[in-house]
């Protein structure tokens, strides 16, 4: 059945003309679905304000919007490595920011690399891979046909957790994401002639750094989020019955200069709350940074349009994972809660999604690679075997091309898989791995011994969580020990341990 649907979409895509579609590939850092396109009960939290994100919302109106898409591991390098190689952290063996999959997992082909091997000009800028030699051999040179563009960050050196930058300051020292958007415009102009003549299509990847900390953004975006209109999270407490391993210690936030005057103690502890004044300032800074990212995405999309390329270019947009803004008393990512694992994703396919499509099917970020390959008509990717360390090209995801024909298709994935490691005594490390599934209604997590074998020992558990989204969409209460949930708990445990291959129907 999928093959027929697949053929229909491909026909729409490639049938009319031989020319291959270009790809414009956006990534935003630490962006939870705080976008107009994910408002109402799709917003991350009921205490979020209305978001000012007109450009991404406009993109959403001509895209397939994935309302329930989940990352493999809620931190930059493991998540990005998983998306970009189409494999999961236990295969890439990237669970932290210090390892490069080509050295520890296998010499796996990436999305841009595969487009490059198929004749595309591939240009990357900003943050696509996690930067640095250790995480990506400095932005994975194999992936690109052109030199990589990073830009200069002169603001982060200030060690200010938030900074509203005036117009005069920006004129003198452009923000990093402004430089990246400028470079994207320049790049599009450079790749346009050959793309339009049909000589060489492009894959241009634009990675913005905001809304990652430190939150520096043009001052003008604050006006959309007046402090007196913002709210504290309505669940400014840690989940009832939460095991300690589920917790991420965010004490790093207390190392910024503008947090010092508050003289805080115990920052990062379970049930720790920042004072209200500081909480609201941090929330405003995050939301303002999101609007700044929206502005930058808008500039690039406008140029694509002005160059007459929009009808021949597939556009994908995603955030590398979610974020906690005080909900559960938690901050940053680095958990397996819904807020950290769910992130926005949308894909625009000209001629297919022009009037906008929305799906609430469960989708995993590892599915993006095979999807883009299908949409561009590149040779299809095969499912990876159990041990794929020697296989350069395969995927542990599943193309969601069928959702472009029927976003309400039945028999789709019935669970998504995410994970996060923790050290003992509240430290970082691989001692224990939290494996988590999200089904239509539940989130279920087991914290299993991981070291020394670097695989889960299911008979050595350090905590179990079961959240019932049917009655508790914010995951405020862990029902794992509740007798009435015992049957459900053992079913979910079976499904979790069986793994992703058994739901990938
Ligand atoms: C990795 O694969 C690429 C081609 O996909 C090849 O050019 C490169 O030499 C390989 N690297 C190693 C270390 O095998
Ligand atoms: C955190 O606060 C909640 C709500 O008051 C409480 O139920 C929970 O037990 C607390 N957690 C810990 C570990 O103290
Ligand atoms: C959080 O981490 C900081 C820095 O490592 C540490 O000093 C603090 O004790 C930790 N807090 C808890 C509750 O573990
Ligand atoms: C923040 O609010 C607290 C009271 O909760 C107050 O003591 C403190 O002075 C305020 N700090 C600033 C920097 O406004
Ligand atoms: C792009 O496609 C739309 C919808 O098919 C069409 O209305 C528009 O004229 C096209 N624009 C260009 C520049 O071809
Ligand atoms: C996968 O295969 C490689 C070589 O074929 C081997 O070195 C490695 O140990 C295997 N990994 C697992 C987890 O079995
Ligand atoms: C999918 O289902 C939703 C809700 O039931 C409905 O509003 C929408 O029109 C359906 N979409 C398609 C393309 O069938
Ligand atoms: C998901 O599908 C698998 C395979 O068909 C099945 O074994 C499992 O019970 C299903 N789980 C849920 C939560 O529906």
């Amino acid at each position: 059945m999928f093959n027929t649907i697949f053929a229909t979409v491909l026909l729409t895509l490639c049938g009319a003309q031989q020319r291959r579609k270009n790809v414009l590939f956006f990534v935003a850092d630490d962006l939870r679905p705080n976008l107009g396109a994910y408002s109402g009960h799709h917003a991350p939290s009921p205490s979020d304000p209305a978001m000012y994100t007109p450009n991404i919302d406009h993109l959403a109106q001509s895209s397939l919007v994935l309302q329930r898409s989940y990352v493999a591991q809620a931190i930059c390098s493991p998540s990005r490595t998983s998306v970009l190689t189409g494999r999961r952290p236990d295969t890439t063996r990237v669970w932290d920011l210090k390892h490069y999959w080509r050295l520890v997992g296998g010499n796996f082909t990436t999305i841009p690399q595969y487009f490059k091997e198929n004749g595309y000009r591939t240009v990357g800028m900003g943050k696509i891979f996690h930067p640095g030699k250790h995480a990506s051999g400095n932005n994975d040179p194999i992936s690109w046909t052109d030199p990589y563009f990073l830009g200069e960050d002169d603001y982060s050196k200030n060690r200010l957790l938030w900074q509203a930058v005036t117009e005069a300051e920006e004129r003198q020292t452009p923000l990093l994401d402004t430089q990246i958007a400028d470079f994207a415009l320049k790049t599009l102009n450079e790749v346009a002639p050959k793309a339009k003549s049909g000589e060489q299509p492009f894959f241009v990847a634009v990675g913005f750094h905001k809304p990652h900390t430190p939150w520096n953004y043009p001052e003008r975006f604050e006006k959309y989020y007046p402090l007196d209109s913002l709210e504290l999270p309505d669940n400014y407490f840690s989940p009832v019955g939460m095991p300690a391993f589920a917790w991420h210690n965010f004490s790093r936030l207390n190392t910024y200069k503008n947090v010092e005057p508050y003289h805080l103690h115990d920052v990062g502890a379970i049930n720790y709350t920042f004072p209200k004044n500081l909480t609201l300032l941090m929330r405003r800074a995050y939301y303002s940074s999101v609007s700044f990212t929206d502005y930058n995405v808008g500039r690039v999309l406008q140029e694509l349009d002005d160059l007459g390329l929009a009808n021949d270019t597939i556009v994908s947009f995603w955030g590398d994972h979610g974020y906690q803004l005080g909900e559960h008393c938690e901050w940053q990512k680095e958990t397996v809660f819904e807020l950290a694992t769910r992130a926005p994703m949308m894909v625009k396919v000209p001629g297919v999604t022009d009037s906008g499509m929305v799906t609430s099917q469960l989708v995993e970020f590892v599915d993006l690679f095979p999807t883009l390959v299908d949409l561009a008509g590149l040779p299809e990717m095969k499912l990876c075997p159990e041990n794929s360390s020697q296989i350069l090209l395969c995927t542990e995801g599943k193309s969601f091309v069928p959702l472009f024909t029927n976003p309400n298709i039945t028999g789709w994935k019935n669970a998504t898989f995410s994970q996060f490691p923790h050290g003992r005594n509240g430290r970082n490390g691989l001692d224990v791995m939290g494996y988590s599934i999200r089904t239509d209604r539940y989130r279920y997590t087991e914290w299993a011994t991981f070291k020394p074998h670097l695989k889960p020992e299911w008979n050595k558990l350090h905590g179990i969580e079961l959240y019932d989204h049917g009655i508790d969409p914010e995951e405020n209460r862990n029902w794992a020990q509740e007798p009435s949930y015992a049957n459900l708990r053992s079913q979910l445990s079976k499904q979790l341990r069986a793994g992703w291959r058994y739901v990938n129907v």
Side-chain angles (χ1 to χ4, degrees), residues 415-428:
T416 64
F417 290 73
S418 304
Q419 63 191 91
F420 206 88
H422 269 304
R424 292 185 195 277
N425 305 320
R427 294 179 198 282
N428 292 332

Side-chain angles (χ1 to χ4, degrees), residues 257-298:
K257 273 197 208 154
N258 40 3
V259 180
E260 277 168 17
Y262 292 82
H263 304 293
L264 306 174
H265 302 285
D266 299 326
V267 173
I270 293 174
N271 274 335
Y272 174 82
T273 53
F274 287 107
K276 180 173 181 181
N277 43 13
L278 180 55
T279 305
L280 295 185
L281 283 170
M282 292 196 288
R283 287 170 70 93
R284 178 176 70 176
Y286 181 86
Y287 299 131
S288 303
S289 300
V290 172
S291 290
F292 178 41
T293 296
D294 175 81
Y295 172 75
N296 288 318
V297 169

Side-chain angles (χ1 to χ4, degrees), residues 13-208:
L13 290 169
C14 320
Q17 84 283 50
Q18 292 290 346
R19 185 173 307 172
R20 286 178 299 171
K21 290 267 190 284
N22 311 297
V23 180
L24 178 56
F25 185 88
F26 286 109
V27 190
D29 207 356
D30 281 13
L31 177 66
R32 68 188 205 173
N34 272 137
L35 299 168
Y38 291 76
S39 52
H41 70 278
H42 298 294
S45 158
S47 32
D48 283 323
M51 295 301 299
Y52 181 76
T53 52
N55 298 293
I56 299 173
D57 296 346
H58 183 71
L59 174 66
Q61 280 158 17
S62 57
S63 296
L64 173 67
V65 176
L66 304 152
Q67 278 168 337
R68 297 206 292 175
S69 47
Y70 294 86
V71 302
Q73 189 185 320
I75 191 165
C76 299
S77 192
S79 177
R80 289 165 186 255
T81 299
S82 172
V83 177
L84 289 156
T85 63
R87 307 189 207 204
R88 297 168 195 259
D90 289 355
T91 301
T92 64
R93 301 178 79 78
V94 174
W95 300 291
D96 63 19
L97 309 180
K98 292 181 288 200
H99 290 91
Y100 184 16
W101 75 92
R102 294 194 195 269
L103 302 181
V104 295
N107 191 17
F108 306 146
T109 304
T110 70
I111 301 178
Q113 182 188 352
Y114 194 48
F115 278 82
K116 174 178 156 184
E117 287 169 359
N118 281 280
Y120 279 68
R121 181 165 175 189
T122 60
V123 192
M125 64 203 75
K127 186 167 171 184
I128 301 295
F129 296 97
H130 192 75
K133 186 155 177 22
H134 295 301
S136 61
N138 291 323
N139 308 299
D140 198 44
I142 291 179
S143 287
W144 314 105
T145 56
D146 286 48
Y148 198 86
F149 176 82
L150 280 173
E152 294 282 338
D153 186 0
D154 287 320
Y155 287 93
S156 296
K157 295 171 192 155
N158 300 340
R159 299 298 304 157
L160 294 173
L161 180 54
W162 67 92
Q163 184 180 11
V165 173
T166 63
E167 270 180 47
E169 284 170 319
E170 246 243 295
R171 261 197 307 278
Q172 192 159 29
T173 311
L175 284 153
L176 180 56
D177 281 350
T178 303
Q179 299 165 42
I180 292 165
D182 288 345
F183 190 81
L185 267 49
K186 182 170 160 270
T187 300
L188 287 177
N189 279 277
E190 238 174 80
V191 298
K194 284 191 179 175
K196 291 177 87 168
S197 71
E199 200 180 331
Q200 188 180 32
F202 63 78
F203 181 102
V204 170
V206 184
F208 290 119

Side-chain angles (χ1 to χ4, degrees), residues 206-283:
V206 184
F208 290 119
H209 291 268
K210 295 305 116 177
H212 196 291
T213 53
W215 294 304
N216 40 48
Y217 50 84
E219 190 180 34
R220 65 183 187 278
F221 293 109
E222 281 187 348
K223 69 169 176 284
Y224 301 106
Y225 312 102
L227 274 181
D228 58 10
S229 75
L230 295 182
E231 295 173 33
L232 291 178
D234 67 335
N235 56 347
Y236 215 179
F237 58 86
S238 305
V240 179
M242 178 194 77
F245 270 105
W247 191 249
H248 157 70
N249 178 343
F250 50 88
S251 67
R252 235 182 310 150
L253 291 180
N254 197 26
T255 61
Y256 287 94
K257 273 197 208 154
N258 40 3
V259 180
E260 277 168 17
Y262 292 82
H263 304 293
L264 306 174
H265 302 285
D266 299 326
V267 173
I270 293 174
N271 274 335
Y272 174 82
T273 53
F274 287 107
K276 180 173 181 181
N277 43 13
L278 180 55
T279 305
L280 295 185
L281 283 170
M282 292 196 288
R283 287 170 70 93

Side-chain angles (χ1 to χ4, degrees), residues 429-475:
L430 295 177
D431 298 312
V432 173
M433 184 69 79
Y435 285 94
S436 190
I437 54 173
R438 178 66 158 91
T439 66
D440 186 45
R441 174 161 174 181
Y442 303 100
R443 170 167 299 286
Y444 179 76
T445 305
E446 292 188 3
W447 294 89
T449 292
F450 194 63
K451 249 183 171 170
H453 305 298
L454 301 183
K455 49 183 165 192
E457 294 186 50
W458 298 119
N459 57 351
K460 294 185 192 161
L461 291 189
H462 305 269
I464 300 178
E465 293 168 89
L466 199 177
Y467 298 101
D468 183 347
H469 281 256
I471 55 174
D472 173 28
E474 294 177 78
E475 300 183 338

